[in-house]
Structures are given as C-alpha cells and as structure tokens.
Amino acid sequence: MNKGKPTTWSPLTCFQEQSEEKIVLIVLNQPLPSFSTFHNLWKKAVYRACTDGAINHLHSLSLKEGYSNGHLIPDLISGDFDSSSEDLRASFAKRGSEVIATPDQDETDFTKCFRIITDKMKERSEKVDKIVVLGAFGGRFDHIMANVNTLFLAATLTDIPVYLVKGVSVACLLQQGKHVIETDTGLEGEWCGLIPVGGPCQNVTTTGLQYNLEHGHLEFGKLISTSNTYEEDTREVTVETDRPLLWTMAVKNLN
C-alpha cells in the first residue's frame, strides 16, 4: 500500500454555516433537504448543476420559499430530458442556465453531468474544495448503485473530493492508500461504515472506530463494516486500504 502522505477528508464541513469552503453543487432528481440546509450549500457553491428532473424540485422549492423571480438558478441543466418539461427548461434558460442535452443512454444523467462539470472546472482558475452531490441515495436501488459507480469514474476525472449526500447519509470513495477522515464538526451522527463495493479489500487498518480493523479483510459474502461508530472523543478516523473502499457516515439535521 501507499506509504506516502495520507489524504484528508472533511465530509461534513460544508454543512457548517460558518464554513467558507467553495463547492460545486450537483442536484439529482430527488426531493431536496430542508431549505436551510439547501440554501447553505447553494451559497457556498461556485458552480451549480441540475440533472434533468432535479429542476422540478428546484422550481417547487423556489415557489415555496417565495423566489418567484427565479433566484435559485443553476449554472447548468443537463440530461436526456425525459423527466422535465421543455417549458421549464426554457424558463431556466431565459434566466441564465446553460441547458445541455445528453441523450447517450450508455451513461446516467449524473455521470454525463459530472463529465461536463469536470471539463468546465478545468477551464476555470477558481479553487474548489469539494463536489457535493444531493439526492444520491433516494429512490430506486439500481439508481443508487449507478451513483456509486459514478464515484469510481469520478476518481479518473478529477482530484477534487466528491461526496454523495441524501437524508442522513454521506459517502465518499477512499482510494488505495492512507486516509484521515475528520469527525470533529459536531454534525456527526452515531453510525458509520466501510463498504468494499468495488471488490474485496484484503488489507484494511483503521483507528478511531469502536470496531477497528487491523489488516482486516472486507468482502461481500464475508465481512463488511456497517453500523460501526466512533471511539469516545475521537476527532478523526484513519483508514489504510489496499483497494478502493466506500466510507459512509451519518450526518445530523439535514432533513
């Protein structure tokens, strides 16, 4: 395994009101969190994108909160457009959204949107701390797995940390090597887990968890780490893995 400098992850800092992080916000076609949570992320975003039917939820939220003049306008709307109306897309376009059709059915709307965003981020000089994807775990199970698959693809397209979010769940993909996961925001829920989604992880060592691993083996059909939690007063979790490993954790007060 890589013996170099560990990668540091800050999964929950973007939800802190006082955080000055700059994020890219991707909104998928799922119900949105509470307005306070959503607006906090929206304000931090230097670039905002919606996939297809996500604009239905954004439009509904705008009307509910009294933004009749369309203050919640994404920079990008993309997808195969089977879940949103032409009139609504045109309405957003008139207010400044770039609308890009991506009819290719070999990839999901999220994957295609992610490709567009990474190209645009390469064109910009502005520093981005993380990419936050809202609505990644709701609805159909095959959609959830497709979103996790996009995490694997994301690692080949950008070095910016990517976090999937929905409800009380946040997830990110740890690549081979050493990682430090910050757990000192006060927003951490009780549970966390390490899921070997892409294949067996034969050598995993952790600290900071109630149930730590020392050169442990994680594999579907054998052991996976779910319903784990943190050691008392821990401020960080460390993970060293020989294969890509999904980290997931609970976050408080997102609904």
Side-chain angles (χ1 to χ4, degrees), residues 40-76:
N40 180 42
L41 293 172
W42 189 266
K43 289 188 300 181
K44 289 180 170 65
V46 299
Y47 193 84
R48 309 169 180 106
C50 288
T51 60
D52 199 355
I55 62 173
N56 300 324
H57 301 287
L58 189 62
H59 179 62
S60 296
L61 182 64
S62 296
L63 295 179
K64 179 181 177 181
E65 297 298 327
Y67 291 132
S68 57
N69 292 325
H71 290 88
L72 298 177
I73 304 300
D75 299 286
L76 171 69

Side-chain angles (χ1 to χ4, degrees), residues 11 170-172 174 181 192-194 209 230 237 239 245-249:
V170 177
C172 58
L174 310 180
I181 303 162
C192 58
L194 290 162
L209 300 175
Y230 310 100
V237 170
V239 179
L245 184 59
L246 189 77
W247 165 261
T248 184
M249 64 192 302

Side-chain angles (χ1 to χ4, degrees), residues 94-229:
K94 288 179 181 178
R95 294 180 172 89
S97 295
E98 182 180 10
V99 179
I100 299 178
T102 54
D104 180 10
Q105 296 299 302
D106 288 337
E107 293 186 322
T108 66
D109 283 347
F110 174 28
T111 298
K112 292 178 286 187
C113 180
F114 198 93
R115 288 188 184 278
I116 294 170
I117 288 172
T118 53
D119 286 342
K120 290 185 177 296
M121 290 302 102
K122 292 174 184 176
E123 298 170 359
R124 299 164 67 115
S125 59
E126 192 166 15
K127 178 180 179 293
V128 173
D129 296 299
K130 60 186 62 171
I131 298 173
V132 178
V133 184
L134 288 179
F137 301 124
R140 289 166 39 182
F141 182 72
D142 60 334
H143 286 174
I144 295 170
M145 295 306 296
N147 293 339
V148 172
N149 182 62
T150 302
L151 268 186
F152 280 80
L153 173 67
T156 70
L157 297 177
T158 183
D159 293 328
I160 302 172
V162 182
Y163 298 94
L164 304 184
V165 180
K166 181 66 168 72
V168 299
S169 299
V170 177
C172 58
L173 185 64
L174 310 180
Q175 297 296 323
Q176 177 184 356
K178 298 178 180 179
H179 303 267
V180 175
I181 303 162
E182 296 177 349
T183 58
D184 59 353
T185 66
L187 296 174
E188 290 77 19
E190 292 185 359
W191 58 264
C192 58
L194 290 162
I195 316 297
V197 177
C201 296
Q202 298 179 350
N203 192 356
V204 179
T205 297
T206 68
T207 67
L209 300 175
Q210 181 175 353
Y211 306 106
N212 282 307
L213 295 165
E214 185 171 355
H215 304 295
H217 183 111
L218 295 177
E219 181 179 354
F220 277 98
K222 296 183 179 179
L223 174 68
I224 65 173
S225 176
T226 61
S227 299
N228 209 329
T229 189

Side-chain angles (χ1 to χ4, degrees), residues 52 55-56 77 80-94 99:
D52 199 355
I55 62 173
N56 300 324
I77 300 168
D80 57 12
F81 299 148
D82 63 351
S83 303
S84 62
S85 72
E86 184 175 353
D87 288 345
L88 186 55
R89 295 194 299 272
S91 176
F92 276 106
K94 288 179 181 178
V99 179

Side-chain angles (χ1 to χ4, degrees), residues 229-244:
T229 189
Y230 310 100
E231 290 179 339
E232 187 174 359
D233 298 326
T234 187
R235 298 180 63 84
E236 65 181 32
V237 170
T238 69
V239 179
E240 186 170 6
T241 178
D242 65 330
R243 295 283 303 275

